[in-house]
Amino acid sequence: MAAFAEIAGCFAFWAWARLDKSALWLIPGLASLALFAWVLTRADSALAGRAYAAYGGVYIASSMLWMWLVEGHRPDRWDAAGLALCLIGSAVILLPQRG
């Protein structure tokens, strides 16, 4: 949820700045970015840095999905390979039991 809120918020700014959409796009964009920040604080982790680092892989996966579903560009094999590397990295950060 955090990733899609962040991507939607950033996309609203992109649409305004790069696609010549109305400045009214900034209103839902700001609301979406605020939602992103709030949702990310709900992550179950004692360390914010670790939660944010692991979130990076989720963000990349969500970005590829956004590119495909919203922008209409299907990820290619290099996108898929990079995504796999990122998700493995996120798992290495998030999953080990620490003492």
Side-chain angles (χ1 to χ4, degrees):
M1 185 175 185
F4 281 109
E6 183 180 12
I7 294 164
C10 291
F11 184 78
F13 276 79
W14 178 275
W16 166 69
R18 303 287 300 270
L19 302 177
D20 295 322
K21 300 291 183 183
S22 166
L24 293 175
W25 277 66
L26 299 178
I27 296 168
L30 287 169
S32 186
L33 289 172
L35 176 65
F36 149 70
W38 180 80
V39 170
L40 197 56
T41 66
R42 309 284 61 126
D44 186 21
S45 178
L47 301 170
R50 187 170 291 139
Y52 298 156
Y55 164 75
V58 173
Y59 179 84
I60 292 168
S62 299
S63 296
M64 292 289 104
L65 194 58
W66 180 277
M67 180 179 74
W68 191 0
L69 298 177
V70 175
E71 298 180 28
H73 296 281
R74 186 176 182 163
D76 62 22
R77 64 185 170 134
W78 296 108
D79 295 325
L83 173 58
L85 288 170
C86 292
L87 291 176
I88 290 167
S90 290
V92 168
I93 291 168
L94 189 61
L95 297 178
Q97 293 294 324
R98 293 179 167 88

